Every structure is written in structure tokens, then in C-alpha cells.
């Protein structure tokens, strides 16, 4: 059994890494965003419950999210464990996860945290520019247009969508660090947190993630 909680801020590459890791480890990737979409689409009891909160403009309470995770973990593809991506987000969710796993005689085994400095996250997230005519998206660092501010395809002006501005992304990053700081401490105190330098290549980050997870598996089976 391997239960991994993967952590990392917006722009840290967590989703990409999670996908590759799950393939290599043969574990399902459990992301609460996917679970919500699935429960809403299939109109499950939990989906219906979530919808009543969402329609009222309210936050969906933890019990609903945790219920979805619990149901997901009971499926056959979780026979060898799972990789949780983006859950838990708060200490109360982490406590709920611990309780839920304890009922299965299990626990979280390792919490790799892909760390990237906020300044670099901002560069990654706020560098997107979109063509006003064809909608093509560029990135000032990773996929720049040949000429500043001009679309390669049709010569139209590029603009920044509201979601992509430095202001919006700065706020998003600040919220992430503020919200997750207590959770990082929580897992650090339990001896489960392993920090990975996320400012390296995707391949190097992947290699180190695999290493720490396999090492934790080995320690338990020895
Ligand atoms: Zn264009």
C-alpha cells in the first residue's frame, strides 16, 4: 500500500508530475476537482448535496468533499493505494483523511511538496498573452511570439486575459501560501513532509519524487 499526498502551489507543475507518477507507480490520481465533476455529472447523492450548496453560492462543506474521497478510495483501482492531488487543503481535511484511512487500517505514508519560490511561480503564471484575433496563447518565457506583443500567425495585437495578469496571479499565489503553511507544518510534525526542489527540469523533479516515494515504500517493507 502506498498513500501519497502530493503538494505544490499553482504553477509548481503538480498536476503534470502527478500524472506521470501515477503511471509509473500504478496508482490512481485522485483530484477533488475531478471527483466533484464526476459526482455532479452522475448526480450521485453527494453530487446532489454539493449542488445545493453551490447553487446557494455557498462553499461545499468538508463532509461532502471527504465523503467523495472516501467513496473513491473504496474502489478496486485503489487496491494498492492512491495519490491524492490537491487534497487535503486544510488541517481539518487532513484530520478527516487520517480518520478515514485509519478506518481502513491505513495512513498517509509520504507527502512530497514541490517547492517553487513565489517569484518564479508568478513569472510562470503571469506570462501568458493571448491573440485578440485568433486566440492563440503565448508565454513570454516559454513560448514567446517572434515580435513582442504581436501574433506570429496573423500579426494581431496580443492582450492579457484578466485571469493571467500579475495582479490576479500574485493574489492566487499569496492565498495558496497562506492557506497551506499550516498544512505543511502539520505534515512536517508527523515526519511525512519531503520537500522537492521544483525549480529544476520536469524530468529531474519527477526523478526525485519517484526516489522519495520508493524509499518510503522500502523502509516500510524492510
Ligand atoms: Zn493570432
Amino acid at each position: 500500500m502506498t498513500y501519497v499526498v502530493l503538494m505544490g502551489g499553482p504553477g509548481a507543475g503538480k498536476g503534470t508530475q502527478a500524472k506521470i507518477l501515477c503511471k509509473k507507480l500504478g496508482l490512481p490520481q485522485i483530484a477533488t476537482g475531478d471527483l466533484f465533476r464526476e459526482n455532479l455529472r452522475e448526480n450521485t447523492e453527494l453530487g446532489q448535496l454539493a449542488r445545493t450548496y453551490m447553487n446557494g453560492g455557498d462553499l461545499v462543506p468538508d463532509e461532502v468533499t471527504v465523503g467523495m474521497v472516501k467513496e473513491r478510495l473504496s474502489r478496486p483501482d485503489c487496491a494498492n493505494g492512491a495519490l491524492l492531488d490537491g487534497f487535503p487543503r486544510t488541517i481539518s481535511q487532513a484530520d478527516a483523511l487520517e480518520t478515514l484511512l485509519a478506518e481502513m487500517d491505513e495512513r498517509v505514508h509520504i507527502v512530497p511538496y514541490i517547492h517553487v519560490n513565489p517569484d518564479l511561480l508568478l513569472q510562470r503564471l503571469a506570462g501568458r498573452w493571448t491573440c485578440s484575433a485568433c486566440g492563440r496563447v503565448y508565454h513570454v518565457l516559454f513560448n514567446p511570439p517572434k515580435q513582442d506583443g504581436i501574433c506570429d500567425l496573423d500579426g494581431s495585437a496580443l492582450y492579457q486575459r484578466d485571469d493571467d495578469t500579475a495582479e490576479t496571479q500574485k493574489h492566487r499565489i499569496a492565498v495558496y501560501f497562506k492557506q497551506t503553511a499550516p498544512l505543511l507544518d502539520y505534515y512536517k510534525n508527523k515526519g511525512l513532509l519531503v520537500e522537492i526542489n521544483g525549480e529544476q527540469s520536469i524530468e529531474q523533479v519527477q526523478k526525485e519524487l519517484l526516489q522519495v516515494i520508493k524509499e518510503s515504500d522500502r523502509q516500510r517493507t524492510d
Side-chain angles (χ1 to χ4, degrees):
M1 281 294 193
T2 309
Y3 288 98
V4 181
V5 169
L6 186 62
M7 292 183 65
K14 179 169 61 67
T16 308
Q17 296 292 351
K19 259 187 205 81
I20 312 174
L21 270 181
C22 284
K23 218 173 245 166
K24 288 188 177 162
L25 296 167
L27 295 175
Q29 176 185 359
I30 299 184
T32 41
D34 295 339
L35 280 182
F36 267 94
R37 277 187 289 277
E38 187 190 318
N39 277 277
L40 289 171
R41 191 178 57 234
E42 297 185 1
N43 210 24
T44 63
E45 234 170 90
L46 286 165
Q48 290 173 22
L49 193 55
R51 189 173 282 121
T52 57
Y53 288 102
M54 290 157 76
N55 287 346
D58 293 316
L59 280 177
V60 178
D62 277 352
E63 299 89 76
V64 178
T65 313
V66 172
M68 288 180 187
V69 173
K70 183 176 180 177
E71 185 278 324
R72 181 67 187 84
L73 286 174
S74 71
R75 293 187 210 166
D77 65 339
C78 296
N80 295 318
L83 184 142
L84 293 150
D85 167 13
F87 178 89
R89 278 184 203 278
T90 60
I91 290 187
S92 66
Q93 287 184 352
D95 281 334
L97 176 65
E98 192 169 270
T99 307
L100 190 157
L101 287 173
E103 286 168 8
M104 304 157 57
D105 273 327
E106 284 297 341
R107 62 180 181 85
V108 171
H109 297 115
I110 185 162
V111 182
Y113 169 51
I114 307 172
H115 180 261
V116 175
N117 275 311
D119 287 350
L120 184 56
L121 289 179
L122 186 62
Q123 274 187 359
R124 289 183 183 178
L125 292 172
R128 284 157 56 100
W129 288 76
T130 305
C131 173
S132 51
C134 71
R136 179 165 173 185
V137 179
Y138 296 85
H139 191 287
V140 287
L141 294 178
F142 310 124
N143 176 30
K146 291 193 181 80
Q147 224 185 317
D148 263 4
I150 304 288
C151 179
D152 291 351
L153 302 178
D154 49 39
S156 303
L158 305 181
Y159 74 105
Q160 254 192 328
R161 297 180 350 160
D162 284 348
D163 284 354
D164 294 334
T165 62
E167 198 71 16
T168 308
Q169 293 300 340
K170 213 176 194 163
H171 179 70
R172 186 175 166 214
I173 293 163
V175 167
Y176 176 81
F177 279 98
K178 195 175 164 207
Q179 272 183 350
T180 45
L183 196 58
L184 291 175
D185 282 341
Y186 174 97
Y187 283 125
K188 201 180 278 173
N189 290 335
K190 289 181 183 287
L192 296 176
L193 194 79
V194 182
E195 193 168 306
I196 303 286
N197 174 7
E199 298 182 10
Q200 312 174 88
S201 68
I202 292 180
E203 293 75 21
Q204 185 59 26
V205 172
Q206 179 62 215
K207 196 175 144 196
E208 293 183 15
L209 283 168
L210 261 180
Q211 251 166 19
V212 296
I213 295 169
K214 287 191 169 160
E215 180 56 30
S216 122
D217 279 348
R218 199 157 33 235
Q219 280 171 5
R220 270 176 290 125
T221 48
D222 274 354

